[in-house]
């Protein structure tokens, strides 16, 4: 369907309602030349947020057993990182 821009301006809401029902695009013309096309928006299917990534990951190996490396909390490897500085003049 083609419609002149002046007619579209006066019947804009009616034309949009018609497009939503018929699902057919409308070409808007100015002095007989097409300048715009008004098309209906296709509705997107609603997807639930909960569970949308189900079955997208694969577990390989044992995820419960320890990996065999000693914890730094037990070995003391990172004690200097956890130490509290007593003054701001301490060198790093």
């Amino acid at each position: 369907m083609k419609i002149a821009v002046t007619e579209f301006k006066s019947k804009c809401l009616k034309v949009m309602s018609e497009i939503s029902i018929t699902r057919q695009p409308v070409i808007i013309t100015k002095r007989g030349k097409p300048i715009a096309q008004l098309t209906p928006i296709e509705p997107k299917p609603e997807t639930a947020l909960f569970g949308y990534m189900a079955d997208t990951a694969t577990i390989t190996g044992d995820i419960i057993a320890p990996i065999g490396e000693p914890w730094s909390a037990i070995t003391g490897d990172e004690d200097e990182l956890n130490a509290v500085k007593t003054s701001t003049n301490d060198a790093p």
Side-chain angles (χ1 to χ4, degrees):
M1 176 175 159
K2 289 184 179 182
I3 187 169
V5 72
T6 53
E7 185 179 354
F8 177 74
K9 283 172 57 176
S10 65
K11 298 179 182 179
C12 177
L13 296 176
K14 182 180 176 184
V15 171
M16 288 194 298
S17 296
E18 191 175 313
I19 289 172
S20 68
I21 295 169
T22 64
R23 313 298 299 164
Q24 296 297 316
V26 171
I27 298 172
I28 302 167
T29 62
K30 186 175 186 179
R31 296 188 184 124
K33 294 184 181 180
I35 58 167
Q37 181 175 353
L38 186 61
T39 59
I41 294 178
E42 297 301 323
K44 292 182 182 179
E46 290 188 25
T47 56
L49 293 178
F50 183 76
Y52 77 97
M53 292 191 69
D55 300 326
T56 60
T58 304
I59 298 174
T60 58
D62 188 359
I63 61 171
I64 298 174
I67 58 174
E69 291 185 24
W71 290 3
S72 63
I74 295 173
T75 62
D77 290 341
E78 297 180 356
D79 285 345
E80 70 277 355
L81 296 175
N82 296 324
V84 177
K85 292 185 178 181
T86 57
S87 71
T88 58
N89 294 333
D90 290 347

